[in-house]
Amino acid sequence: MTYRSGRHFLQIPGPTNVPDRVLRAIDAPTMDHRGPEFGVLGKYVLEGLKPIFKTKNPVIIFPASGTGAWEAALVNTLSPGDKVLMVETGQFATLWQEMAGRLGLTVEFVAGDWRSGVDPKLIEAKLKEDKGHTIKAVCAVHNETSTGVTSRIGLIRKAIDAAGHPALYLVDTISSLASIDYRHDEWGVDVTVSGSQKGLMLPPGLSFNAISDKAIAASKKAGLTKSYWDWAPMLAANEKGYFPYTPATNLLYGLKEAIDMLMEEGLDNVFARHDRHAEATRRAVRGWGLEILAKNPEEYSSALTAVLMPDGHNADALRKVILDKFDMSLGAGLGKVAGKVFRIGHLGDFNDLTLAGTLSGVEMGLKLAGVPIKASGVAEALAYLGEANTGAKSAAA
């Protein structure tokens, strides 16, 4: 391969860029995972994760991708034949429900348009109809990575409560944790699923279950087969900072550093930064005269923006031009929107200048690919960022 100067722009919505501090932390000798030094590290990261999930309850760490955390959430809380309620918000909601079916669960999967999040009123109506409480869990994706749509998790909790239904509440935050405000305890979530490779700024390889007391109680009766994913031995070993099997030691070094970085910046500042970059990106998209896939402003994602291509233009052809000419990777359209959208990731270790470079690459690529644009979206984004940095931030459009 020909050498390309400069740093590759990895602007997919995960895995995200790994900051140098995290890389340096990972690049250390592996320690004895049964020794006293590891116990100190284990306790540090297990406690340090709680403020990020906004919970006082345990957070379990598995050596796995987010898919593993999906499975752990299901097999620890449910039994064969149990009914779960899910909504088709995009590709990842679709994959999670497919997994549930393969595990022997009965899935009621409500069709969606891939442009909207979970409708709390729909959840309330479905649960009120379920007089016999056959639905054992409601599963929702907080931030649908394939569409750039964020579901309103707190309002869904209120809908479950309004229905007076005892269903467990399971939420996927794989692409929202540490990027978009999330409140496990306040929103009454029973299992929060997440992964290391997005807002936590780590390579792929760690997955998480934040669990409620209700979820722990359910796990003691759940009948789905499990071994590797079993919470019980994890919780027992975690009390002293250890794991029942070999953990991903060097990724835990990186996790400690990532937790420190997030706490140093402050979570409210992290969320505000992501909000700012998302709004600047949307202004660029509108400046180009293109359409955002997400339909409802209250459901816009602050982690990524999915952009619809005009008729007659292919998103993958555009992505190839941008990769070949500017060494920048953008997210592909998945599933039903393959070839129809490209996704701009603006989450994780990301600042204003990185966004400016990203949007400049997209704008130049649109022109080279012959995609008609109205004006400079970059100019719109930079004007907004300039206002934001002088304290004169315009109201979000």
Side-chain angles (χ1 to χ4, degrees), residues 45 50 85 135-136 152 168 191 194 241 246 258 315 360 365:
V45 296
K50 292 180 181 180
L85 176 62
I135 295 171
K136 302 304 180 183
R152 294 160 289 174
L168 292 161
V191 187
S194 202
T246 306
S360 294

Side-chain angles (χ1 to χ4, degrees), residues 49-371:
L49 283 169
K50 292 180 181 180
I52 297 172
F53 283 87
K54 295 191 177 178
T55 184
K56 294 180 180 178
N57 266 42
V59 179
I60 295 173
I61 306 172
F62 289 104
S65 68
T67 304
W70 275 352
E71 183 163 339
L74 296 172
V75 299
N76 279 283
T77 57
L78 299 167
S79 296
D82 279 354
K83 186 175 181 180
V84 296
L85 176 62
M86 298 173 143
V87 178
E88 185 193 8
T89 52
Q91 178 73 357
F92 292 96
T94 301
L95 293 175
W96 199 9
Q97 69 87 25
E98 288 176 358
M99 171 188 282
R102 289 196 300 271
L103 290 171
L105 299 169
T106 301
V107 184
E108 180 174 356
F109 193 47
V110 182
D113 62 1
W114 286 48
R115 302 191 69 177
S116 306
V118 177
D119 181 354
K121 292 180 180 178
L122 180 147
I123 298 299
E124 182 177 346
K126 289 285 185 182
L127 294 180
K128 283 182 175 178
E129 291 170 4
D130 182 34
K131 304 297 185 183
H133 296 166
T134 60
I135 295 171
K136 302 304 180 183
V138 174
C139 301
V141 176
H142 182 210
N143 186 72
E144 178 55 71
T145 322
S146 64
T147 64
V149 173
T150 303
S151 289
R152 294 160 289 174
I153 300 304
L155 292 182
I156 298 169
R157 173 75 263 173
K158 290 181 179 179
I160 297 170
D161 293 344
H165 201 287
L168 292 161
Y169 190 20
L170 280 54
V171 178
D172 169 347
T173 67
I174 292 171
S175 62
S176 59
L177 188 74
S179 300
I180 301 170
D181 190 16
Y182 182 79
R183 308 174 186 189
H184 176 90
D185 286 357
E186 181 182 331
W187 292 341
V189 180
D190 293 303
V191 187
T192 297
V193 170
S194 202
S196 58
Q197 73 275 20
K198 298 182 188 278
L200 287 175
M201 306 178 290
L202 291 159
L206 296 180
S207 66
F208 310 94
N209 280 176
I211 55 180
S212 71
D213 291 339
K214 183 177 176 180
I216 294 172
S219 73
K220 295 175 181 178
K221 299 178 181 179
L224 283 173
T225 301
K226 53 192 169 291
S227 175
Y228 182 86
W229 305 115
D230 195 345
W231 288 346
M234 276 290 204
L235 290 170
N238 285 174
E239 287 184 5
K240 295 184 178 180
Y242 296 96
F243 294 80
Y245 42 75
T246 306
T249 306
N250 287 59
L251 285 178
L252 294 177
Y253 298 162
L255 177 59
K256 178 184 181 298
E257 194 67 28
I259 290 169
D260 289 345
M261 292 170 69
L262 290 167
M263 293 301 106
E264 287 169 21
E265 184 174 358
L267 286 178
D268 287 345
N269 293 327
V270 171
F271 301 144
R273 170 167 57 83
H274 282 79
D275 291 345
R276 182 174 75 250
H277 292 151
E279 177 59 24
T281 301
R282 291 190 293 269
R283 292 190 182 209
V285 174
R286 295 189 186 104
W288 294 323
L290 300 179
E291 186 178 357
I292 297 163
L293 182 63
K295 288 197 302 188
N296 308 313
E298 66 271 22
E299 294 178 335
Y300 285 157
S301 171
S302 288
L304 73 137
T305 301
V307 185
L308 278 163
M309 292 291 285
D311 290 342
H313 295 272
N314 184 276
D316 292 335
L318 170 67
R319 291 174 51 250
K320 185 177 187 304
V321 168
I322 291 171
L323 178 62
D324 290 346
K325 296 295 184 181
F326 307 115
D327 198 19
M328 179 167 70
S329 296
L330 297 174
L334 303 174
K336 291 183 178 180
V337 294
K340 299 177 183 177
V341 306
F342 64 92
R343 296 174 296 148
I344 303 170
H346 36 72
L347 72 162
D349 186 39
F350 197 78
N351 62 25
D352 289 7
L353 290 182
T354 312
L355 180 62
T358 299
L359 297 177
S360 294
V362 174
E363 185 167 302
M364 290 187 290
L366 288 166
K367 292 177 180 177
L368 286 172
V371 179

